[in-house]
Structure formats: structure tokens, C-alpha cells
Amino acid sequence: MADKIGVYFDESSLGGLLDIQKLCEGVQKKWSDLCPVVKVHPRLASDEGRSMIQKDIDAGLINAVCICGTSPRVEWDFYKFGEGILVERVNLREQCVLCYADPSGEKVQPGQTPELLHKMANDYVNMGVVKLQKANVPASDQVEVVKRVLVIGGGWAGLTAAKNVAAVGYDVTLVEKKDVLGGAAAAMYKTIPLSYPYDAAHPTGVEKKIAEVTGNDKIEVLLNSEVASIAGAPGNYEATVTVGGQERVIPCGSVVLATGWVPQDTAVLKPLGYGKLKNVVTSREFEAMAKAGAIVRKSDGAKPQKIMFLLGVGDKLVPQEAKEAEAKAAALAAAANKEADDAPKTNFSKQDTCKHLYYSSELTSITALKQANYVREFIPGGVAMVVYEHMMVPGINELYYKAAQNDPSVMMTKGVINDVRDGGDGDIIVVLEDTLLGSKIEVEVDMLVLPTALVPTTALDPILKLKYRQGPAMPDLDLFSGYADSNYICFPYETRRTGIYAAGTVRQPMTLSTTETDAAGAALKAIQCLESANRGMAVHPRSGDLSYPRFNLVRCTQCKRCTEECPFGALDEDEKGNPMPNTSRCRRCGTCMGACPERVIYFDNYNVDQIGSAIKQVEVPDDMAVGGPRMLILACENDAYPALDMAALRGKKWSPYVRIVPVRCLGSVNTIWIADAMSKGTDGCLLLGCKYGEDYQCHFVKGSELCNRRMANIGETLGKLGIETERVQQMQVAIDEYDKVPGMIDDFVDAITKLGPNPFKGY
């Protein structure tokens, strides 16, 4: 418990716009027993400033440090004073001095601190002090880590991940379902260029990669093997693997999921002639022909002279049932504020409706270019026609596209398929519309090659078979695609199961080149997981955080909200229904804390009482007409808080009537904070967090979305208090939308001001 707090003001970061001496006097008057040291330094973020603080610690004068100056996102690693010393940062620069917009419109001059600005700063300082008062030093929950990584899948991604893990010195067990390694790469004749000059396809080199893995003493390869179950938590998993019909238990610390893809059921290609016309083949079948050494027609065994590679499938391959079901699921989800997964399920499989077929992608585009070049190699004088709706060749692949453009045997045109019919003698007539010339045309070809859709293996079965309270499968992206869920913007390798990292085409469609990078990244994250769990630290996104949720089970009512709402499956349940934490699975988001109606869940340095007490430090005027309104902003530390900082640093201003309280995630917001603030007379509360939905940007995946669902409970609470529900709102903001944040705040303040004072004001 922090009972001797040193409060230090950084003069250099405040630009002479605050009366620091007056703030010091306020601290000494209000917190005389709690804050024995209150000092000002001309430049606190210096060796001299840090030394001053360290001397006070060494002398036993203080056991906690409150830094009043810059944002906690600035010089975050400078103010560290060893184990046992809590540090709180009070953001007086970005979110007080720089953002202050005086209601009179006058610019604040140095040495002339407006009373409203002083009150703003004073509130923030008091909030910082009480947050330290209500915090404890986190006690890490260290585990004895098994320094072995389990890699599931022996294709390009799995082989690459295994190599990278072993190269750092860790043991690897690689589990492959088939009796050979190599996966899809072993079935390829060539790959798109992986190296300079990036203008010609070449052999994959998978044989060399296989040899490097099988010849490595750090890597154990299990063929004809499948994972039967995975129990435990990061650092101490127990994987039961079936090897040759026998079960074997393999302890491991982390897992790389690299089980790849399977081709989509070809029945869905019937509208394009597949199955009816013998010489309509998939790109996978065409690749197999090249691998076997001859490209021939199925109908007569002859070499085709004119081959069309079709990318512009338009709307042809989307079953009407899938369209209707997806629209219904989305409508129901929106109406009930639920995830699409909560909507009624349809009777068709994810494999039948894989969204990858709805559009032309980078992968289908460059595969068509590669296979068009096979025509020149295998059929001298043959012509390859690539018809595309969208040609996608980002990055270095543009060089490969240009090489194909310059090849006289490759013809390319824009077009969307309208019809495919029998042309007689095994030939095929393809009807195209929306061509470059704008007219509908008919083209007769000897063979038609259709793109092969990649269906991730996670869409078919629960590969991992996890023994988690939330089920055996990895949460996937949505109802139709089945790709392992991850935060594509910030944390591309992490799945929603801590310690388990997806790599390659089980995560999204990608080339061998991209897969190489992806697998290396997943391998490094698997190693980071072992190193962090060994020290009791969070892996991501709060890397290094030693705190973890604690439970006062005496008051637990076994409502199961915490175990159900945890986005990461960190909580199991005992036979009585009490939550059983697995600390190394935890991402420290606090969603369980926000979900608990009895408020029995807490972190040592982040808890309901701490934030609630900090909110109570905001001085709320009894008369809005005299002292102005007061609004609270609970800002997510990952997107909203940085956006606010960036806005202020770029000269943006906003209303001085708001007070910003950073929270780990909006999912951690407990309704009692809002109820207490409103019953105290606070005029409004804005919950400012990450974007949620299909293209979510929430670092904790579901935090903002869960908060939005809880808004109904908040509205019910406000209704009981006799307060308008409009006084509490949730808004979404991305980290790069800093220019929009001031307007969002001012619009909120204007709307609340028009409502008039909170009925509880003055009580």
C-alpha cells in the first residue's frame, strides 16, 4: 500500500502556464499525511531530476512516486525506481495545459493561470494521488516454464516456425497429420518469385527446408500425428498427441498453429461449368498437372492451345442461401446488439461459403500470372488469357505483373463472367461482360482454369481441442470465413488464446513469401511468451505487466459473467461455478472486473475502488451557470488516450469542463463508476474507446463491444436515478483520428449543456 507518496512537478513541461506553487500548496493542504514530499524541478526528466527522486526513496521518505508533467506515454521507461515503488503519471501537459480552451476565447498567457485551468490541473493531481493511495505493488505469479514450443502443421509455415524457434535455442515438437512434410508447398510446381529480380517463377525450395528441419537436433518431428487435446496455460501446456494410434503427452510452453488450408468443395463451382464441362479445372488441379510434367485436357488428353484463367467471378459463386443467411445474421446481431455468432446458424458449412471466393485477391491474381507462364513452358505456341475483375499485385509483386505484361504469350483483360457453356469437341465458350471495351464478348477456349479458394483448416474442425471453459476451438473471425481471429492492425500473430499463435494461411490467405515472414513472427512471439510467463509478466498488449486479476470468492455469486465474457478464455470454473484464473492466459484487460456485478474482481494496481475514488476527486460545481458543467471521459489507454495526446501536441483544443480518466479497456469499465459519478452531480460521462465490429481495432478484441452491450444496464441504472440516459454515451475512435477527437468532445459537451444540470447537482 502506498502510504508515503512523493509528488513531483516538472516545470519544463508546463510552459509557465500553471501556478505550480499554488498546486503544491493544494497538495500539502489536502494530503499532508499522505504526501510528505512535494517538490518542483526545472527539468524532471533529467539525470538530476531522477536522482532527486531516488534520494527521497533511498532515505525512506516515500514509497510511491507521483510525476506531474508529461503524458505517461512519454519517457515511460525513464521513471522506474525498482521493485516495490509504485509510479503514477499525471498528464498536466497534453491533457491539461496544451488542450485547454478558455471559454472566453482568450489565449492563456504565461504567469496568468485562469481559475478554470487551475481547477482542472488540481483535479488531475488529486486523482493521481488517490490512485496511488488505492494501489498495491503487483506480486508476480511466476510459473516454471516448459521451454518447448509445439508447432502444429508441417507445411511451409510450420517448417519455418520450427526452424526459427530452434535457431534461438528452444526445443520444438512438430506435429504433422500426414506421413510427409511440406504441405501445399510440396504439391507446387513452382512459386512466384521470392527473390530479386522478382520477374520469374522458380522452384519452391521446400525440400531444402524439410532437410533443415529433420536434420536439426532441437526439432522432434512426429508424422501421422494429430493433437487430441491441449490443457493448461502458457508456460505449462500439456498437449496430448496421437502418434500412430498411441497417445503421448507432450509438455510445452507455447503453441504455433500452422495447419494451413484445404481447397474449397468444388461443388460450389458448378455455376462456372465445373463438373459439367470436362475441361474446366481448378488452379490447384492445373498446378498438379504442371507438377506431373504435362498440361493436357481431361476430355481427350490433348495439349490445350488456348487456356483462360478466370479471376472475375463477380457474383456467380455466392450461393443465394449464403447471402440471405448472412444478411439475416447481421440484422439480428445489430438488433440484439450481439455478435454474429449469437445469431441463428444455417445448415451450410463455412467451407461452402468461404468469403475468399467473393473477390479477386492478391493470391488468386499472382497464381494466375504464374500459371499463365506455365503455358509458354509446357505448350510452345500456346496462348494464356488472364481475365480479371480486379488485378491485385501489391508491393514487389508489381515487377512480376510487369514481366507477365511483356510476355507475348500472355494476354490480359478486364472482365466479369456472364456465362460458361459447351462449345463442342471439349471446347468451352466463355461469355464476358464489363470488359475493357465495355461490350459483352464470347471467347472460345480449350481449357478454363478457375481460382481455388483457400479454406482455413480452423473452419472445419477444432484443431487444438482446447480444454477451456469456453470450448475446444479457437475463436474465428466471423460466421463464414473461419480464419483464426487476431488483431490484424496491432497484433497480427496473437490469437484470442494467449500463448497460441497462428501463422500462414490458417490466419489469412498469403503467399509463400508472406508466410515466411508470418511464421518467423509467430515463432518469436511464442518465444516471448515463454520468457514473459517465466517472470509472471503479461505477454501482450500490456507487455511486462505483473498484475493479474484476484478474486474475493466469499462474495462471488457464481453468475459466470466473468468466465463468459473474458475474450481470451483466461478463466475456467471449478465444480461450484467459481472462476478459476489462469494468470498466464490473462491479457490484463480487466474485462472480468467490468463484468462482475458484485465487484469482487480486482488487480493490485487497477481496481474498482481505485478508479471510483479517483473519479470522486473531480470537483463538481453546485451551479452549472457559475462554475460550468463537469463531464467525465473514460478513455481507453490504447486508442483513445493516445489520440487525445496527439491532438493536444498538434495544437488541438477542447472544452475545459471535461476530466479524462484512462482505463485499460472500456471492457473494464464497471457501471458503479458511472452511477457514483452521476449521483455526485457529474453532468455527463463519455466512454471513448476503440472501434468494434467486424473490422475491430480493440487491442483486447471485445472490450469496446462488450461495453456497448452493457450500455443497456447503464441506461437502466440511470433510469432508476431519474437521470436522462443521453448523459452517458459511448463513442469510437481510432488512434489516427486525433483530429476528430476535439470535435467529438465539444459536441458531447454542447449536447449535455443543452440538457441542463444533472438533477443530483448540489446534493
Side-chain angles (χ1 to χ4, degrees):
M1 176 76 69
D3 54 5
K4 294 186 291 184
I5 301 171
V7 181
Y8 300 89
F9 289 88
D10 178 23
E11 196 172 17
S12 65
S13 64
L14 304 180
L17 299 179
L18 284 176
D19 187 339
I20 300 178
Q21 191 56 44
K22 188 177 178 181
L23 288 171
C24 291
E25 291 170 359
V27 173
Q28 291 165 338
K29 182 178 180 181
K30 182 168 184 174
W31 308 103
S32 57
D33 294 333
L34 187 62
C35 302
V37 176
V38 181
K39 293 182 178 179
V40 181
H41 194 277
R43 189 172 182 274
L44 200 56
S46 63
D47 291 340
E48 294 79 9
R50 195 180 185 284
S51 176
M52 176 185 70
I53 299 172
Q54 189 64 56
K55 286 179 181 178
D56 291 340
I57 294 171
D58 295 341
L61 299 177
I62 59 172
N63 58 14
V65 178
C66 182
I67 304 293
C68 303
T70 57
S71 167
R73 300 179 65 251
V74 179
E75 298 147 350
W76 59 270
D77 57 342
F78 185 79
Y79 297 110
K80 291 183 178 179
F81 301 97
E83 294 182 10
I85 303 298
L86 289 167
V87 178
E88 176 66 26
R89 302 285 297 278
V90 176
N91 191 347
L92 293 184
R93 185 178 71 174
E94 285 82 351
Q95 296 183 14
C96 184
V97 170
L98 294 182
C99 70
Y100 178 80
D102 197 270
S104 67
E106 296 292 328
K107 184 177 180 181
V108 180
Q109 300 298 325
Q112 299 177 1
T113 306
E115 184 61 23
L116 193 55
L117 177 57
H118 173 77
K119 287 181 178 294
M120 190 178 181
N122 197 58
D123 284 349
Y124 281 133
V125 173
N126 289 333
M127 290 164 72
V129 170
V130 84
K131 284 173 72 176
L132 282 172
Q133 182 191 29
K134 297 290 184 176
N136 287 306
V137 177
S140 64
D141 189 22
Q142 298 180 7
V143 296
E144 191 65 34
V145 166
V146 178
K147 293 196 172 183
R148 175 177 293 273
V149 176
L150 180 70
V151 177
I152 308 174
W156 190 265
L159 293 168
T160 303
K163 271 184 57 184
N164 279 278
V165 171
V168 184
Y170 291 85
D171 294 324
V172 180
T173 295
L174 190 152
V175 175
E176 169 53 47
K177 186 176 182 179
K178 297 180 180 178
D179 59 356
V180 293
L181 297 174
M188 293 168 60
Y189 173 54
K190 289 183 179 180
T191 178
I192 65 164
L194 304 179
S195 58
Y196 182 82
Y198 299 100
D199 60 358
H202 56 74
T204 62
V206 70
E207 295 82 5
K208 179 183 177 183
K209 195 177 284 282
I210 293 171
E212 290 172 342
V213 166
T214 55
N216 194 316
D217 293 339
K218 303 291 290 183
I219 304 174
E220 176 189 30
V221 177
L222 302 178
L223 300 176
N224 295 307
S225 305
E226 290 188 65
V227 173
S229 67
I230 296 179
N236 270 306
Y237 281 120
E238 271 196 356
T240 302
V241 179
T242 304
V243 186
Q246 301 293 318
E247 285 195 348
R248 174 182 162 189
V249 177
I250 301 174
C252 57
S254 56
V255 180
V256 175
L257 178 66
T259 49
W261 61 279
V262 294
Q264 187 178 36
D265 188 343
T266 52
V268 78
L269 299 175
K270 286 182 180 179
L272 300 180
Y274 188 90
K276 294 183 292 185
L277 305 176
K278 288 186 177 181
N279 296 324
V280 176
V281 300
T282 66
S283 59
R284 183 178 173 86
E285 292 169 342
F286 191 83
E287 190 77 26
M289 291 182 198
K291 182 77 172 177
I295 296 174
V296 295
R297 304 204 312 172
K298 289 183 179 180
S299 63
D300 53 16
K303 290 186 176 182
Q305 297 300 308
K306 291 186 293 182
I307 304 176
M308 178 180 287
F309 298 87
L310 188 63
L311 300 180
V313 299
D315 213 24
K316 282 281 183 182
L317 300 188
V318 187
Q320 187 62 31
E321 183 183 82
K323 294 179 191 175
E324 293 172 356
E326 184 174 13
K328 183 178 179 181
L332 287 171
N337 240 348
K338 295 181 178 180
E339 296 180 74
D341 284 348
D342 293 334
K345 300 297 188 293
T346 54
N347 60 3
F348 52 84
S349 71
K350 289 177 180 176
Q351 187 180 12
D352 293 334
T353 58
C354 177
K355 278 187 177 176
H356 183 45
L357 269 186
Y358 289 20
Y359 53 86
S360 295
S361 70
E362 173 191 7
L363 201 60
T364 53
S365 296
I366 58 180
T367 296
L369 295 178
K370 178 186 74 169
Q371 294 184 342
N373 281 301
Y374 291 173
V375 177
R376 171 195 282 268
E377 182 176 349
F378 286 91
I379 309 171
V383 175
M385 292 174 276
V386 179
V387 179
Y388 58 88
E389 183 178 5
H390 304 289
M391 176 64 70
M392 298 176 61
V393 284
I396 203 69
N397 292 326
E398 180 74 17
L399 298 176
Y400 191 47
Y401 172 66
K402 288 182 178 179
Q405 278 185 315
N406 295 329
D407 190 331
S409 66
V410 177
M411 300 172 59
M412 288 188 276
T413 184
K414 187 180 188 301
V416 177
I417 191 167
N418 179 271
D419 191 23
V420 176
R421 62 176 185 264
D422 191 351
D425 297 328
D427 290 350
I428 303 158
I429 295 176
V430 181
V431 182
L432 302 170
E433 57 187 14
D434 293 334
T435 63
L436 290 176
L437 297 177
S439 58
K440 182 183 290 188
I441 61 172
E442 294 186 5
V443 182
E444 187 173 359
V445 296
D446 302 321
M447 181 182 285
L448 177 63
V449 182
L450 305 176
T452 298
L454 275 63
V455 178
T457 51
T458 45
L460 309 178
D461 297 300
I463 305 295
L464 300 169
K465 300 179 179 65
L466 296 168
K467 291 189 175 181
Y468 279 34
R469 180 254 183 260
Q470 292 185 345
M474 178 100 67
D476 55 40
L477 280 178
D478 53 39
L479 182 62
F480 297 111
S481 70
Y483 288 101
D485 194 6
S486 64
N487 190 316
Y488 280 73
I489 297 175
C490 303
F491 308 105
Y493 314 110
E494 287 94 354
T495 67
R496 285 173 56 190
R497 295 294 175 259
T498 309
I500 301 174
Y501 303 90
T505 50
V506 76
R507 192 172 72 78
Q508 68 182 50
M510 60 181 71
T511 64
L512 293 189
S513 176
T514 309
T515 300
E516 184 90 7
T517 304
D518 205 61
L524 289 173
K525 294 303 274 184
I527 293 167
Q528 181 196 22
C529 175
L530 301 185
E531 292 298 323
S532 295
N534 191 44
R535 292 172 285 170
M537 294 180 173
V539 185
H540 46 257
R542 294 182 60 85
S543 300
D545 189 348
L546 292 171
S547 69
Y548 56 93
R550 298 176 180 272
F551 299 80
N552 181 3
L553 295 180
V554 175
R555 289 174 49 200
C556 179
T557 61
Q558 295 84 42
C559 71
K560 299 181 174 59
R561 291 186 191 177
C562 58
T563 56
E564 290 172 354
E565 291 192 6
C566 175
F568 310 108
L571 302 174
D572 291 325
E573 292 169 7
D574 64 17
E575 63 280 357
K576 295 180 180 179
N578 292 317
M580 294 174 56
N582 297 275
T583 54
S584 59
R585 291 186 199 169
C586 177
R587 306 263 177 107
R588 279 69 166 179
C589 61
T591 296
C592 54
M593 188 177 85
C596 181
E598 296 298 318
R599 298 181 287 284
V600 303
I601 306 174
Y602 63 97
F603 295 78
D604 284 325
N605 57 355
Y606 183 67
N607 52 73
V608 174
D609 182 36
Q610 180 199 47
I611 303 302
S613 297
I615 290 171
K616 290 173 184 176
Q617 295 304 311
V618 176
E619 183 183 341
V620 180
D622 292 340
D623 190 340
M624 181 188 285
V626 178
R630 286 294 183 274
M631 288 85 164
L632 191 67
I633 297 180
L634 299 177
C636 160
E637 69 178 11
N638 293 304
D639 271 41
Y641 198 86
L644 288 162
D645 276 355
M646 289 189 284
L649 288 169
R650 286 162 175 78
K652 306 293 184 182
K653 310 286 185 182
W654 57 80
S655 172
Y657 299 127
V658 302
R659 300 293 183 264
I660 298 165
V661 179
V663 295
R664 291 188 178 182
C665 176
L666 287 193
S668 71
V669 173
N670 197 288
T671 54
I672 193 66
W673 297 342
I674 298 170
D676 284 353
M678 301 308 290
S679 62
K680 184 190 172 187
T682 303
D683 296 293
C685 182
L686 175 61
L687 307 175
L688 198 57
C690 307
K691 294 192 172 182
Y692 56 87
E694 184 177 351
D695 297 321
Y696 69 86
Q697 296 182 26
C698 176
H699 284 49
F700 297 109
V701 183
K702 295 293 180 183
S704 291
E705 188 171 330
L706 287 169
C707 181
N708 182 257
R709 292 191 205 175
R710 295 172 191 160
M711 290 297 285
N713 297 333
I714 294 171
E716 183 180 338
T717 300
L718 295 177
K720 291 178 180 178
L721 293 172
I723 297 174
E724 302 94 331
T725 57
E726 298 93 329
R727 291 188 183 275
V728 180
Q729 297 180 30
Q730 180 179 347
M731 296 184 186
Q732 304 175 61
V733 62
I735 194 170
D736 60 350
E737 293 180 334
Y738 59 85
D739 57 324
K740 298 179 181 178
V741 174
M744 294 166 66
I745 294 174
D746 288 341
D747 288 346
F748 175 73
V749 171
D750 290 343
I752 298 301
T753 303
K754 288 176 182 176
L755 283 176
N758 182 336
F760 280 84
K761 191 176 291 293
Y763 285 90

